[in-house]
Amino acid sequence: MTASTSPALGKKRAGKCNYCEATTRLHTHHIIPRSLGGPDEDHNILTVCKDHHWQLHGIHEKASFSELTKAGMAEAKKRGAVFGNRTNLKEAQAKGAAAVKAKADAFAMRLRPIIERLRQTGMSIRAIAEQFNAMSVPTASNGSWYSKTVSNILTRPV
C-alpha cells in the first residue's frame, strides 16, 4: 500500500506511522500544508515515519532535511511568498548584534573574576581551559574551552 492510497488519511495515531507500524523516526505531516492555510488540527495531521513522509512529499528517501527545506522554500517563493524582514532589516540586524554582544559581555563579566583568581594562583591559560572542560563548565556557545577562549575573556573590553 502506498502513502497516497492508504485509508489512514486524516487520522493522527500517537506513536505509530499511519502507513506502517514504525514507532521511531516519526514526523507530523500536514495534509493541507500550513503554508497554504492548513490548520494544526487532528483532521489535517498524519503521524508518519520519515520514509513515508518523504514519499508523501515525492522526495527521494535519501534527501536531507536541508534539501527538504530548500525545496519547500523554492515552492513557496514560486507562489509569491516573501521571507525575512523587508521593512527594517538594518535596524533588526543592529538589534540582533547588540543582543549577541550583550550576552557575550555578561558571560565574560561572570567568568572573568574566576579566571583572574585562577591566574593569580599560577594556573596557565591552557590549564584553566582544561579545568573548565573537566568540570563541564559551558562556554558561551556551549562548546569546548581552549586557551584562546580563556584569553578572549581576559582581553575583552568590558
Side-chain angles (χ1 to χ4, degrees):
M1 175 181 322
T2 66
S4 61
T5 61
S6 171
L9 285 177
K11 294 180 183 172
K12 183 177 176 185
R13 283 178 30 174
K16 287 188 179 180
C17 174
N18 277 71
Y19 300 104
C20 65
E21 295 299 310
T23 58
T24 60
R25 301 183 323 153
L26 297 176
H27 295 198
T28 299
H29 173 73
H30 289 77
I31 298 166
I32 300 170
R34 287 184 294 184
S35 61
L36 295 178
D40 281 330
E41 297 172 8
D42 284 349
H43 70 274
N44 191 47
I45 295 175
L46 295 175
T47 301
V48 293
C49 65
K50 183 170 103 175
D51 296 331
H52 280 113
H53 199 195
W54 286 340
Q55 186 178 7
L56 284 165
H57 284 284
I59 297 173
H60 187 272
E61 64 191 38
K62 298 292 182 188
S64 69
F65 283 107
S66 173
E67 291 167 332
L68 287 171
T69 301
K70 287 176 186 174
M73 288 182 74
E75 286 299 316
K77 285 180 181 179
K78 284 182 191 175
R79 292 190 308 268
V82 177
F83 296 99
N85 183 347
R86 303 284 185 211
T87 57
N88 62 344
L89 186 57
K90 294 288 183 197
E91 180 185 339
Q93 286 173 331
K95 283 183 178 180
V100 168
K101 184 182 181 316
K103 182 180 174 186
D105 287 344
F107 181 80
M109 287 185 71
R110 271 195 326 274
L111 284 176
R112 187 177 191 151
I114 296 167
I115 294 170
E116 287 174 343
R117 272 186 258 131
L118 292 172
R119 291 287 289 151
Q120 289 171 357
T121 66
M123 282 183 83
S124 69
I125 289 176
R126 172 179 275 153
I128 294 170
E130 290 171 355
Q131 184 66 33
F132 282 175
N133 285 326
M135 294 172 53
S136 299
V137 175
T139 64
S141 60
N142 291 321
S144 296
W145 286 92
Y146 300 95
S147 298
K148 186 65 175 166
T149 317
V150 176
S151 176
N152 286 346
I153 289 176
L154 289 172
T155 59
R156 184 178 189 88
V158 284

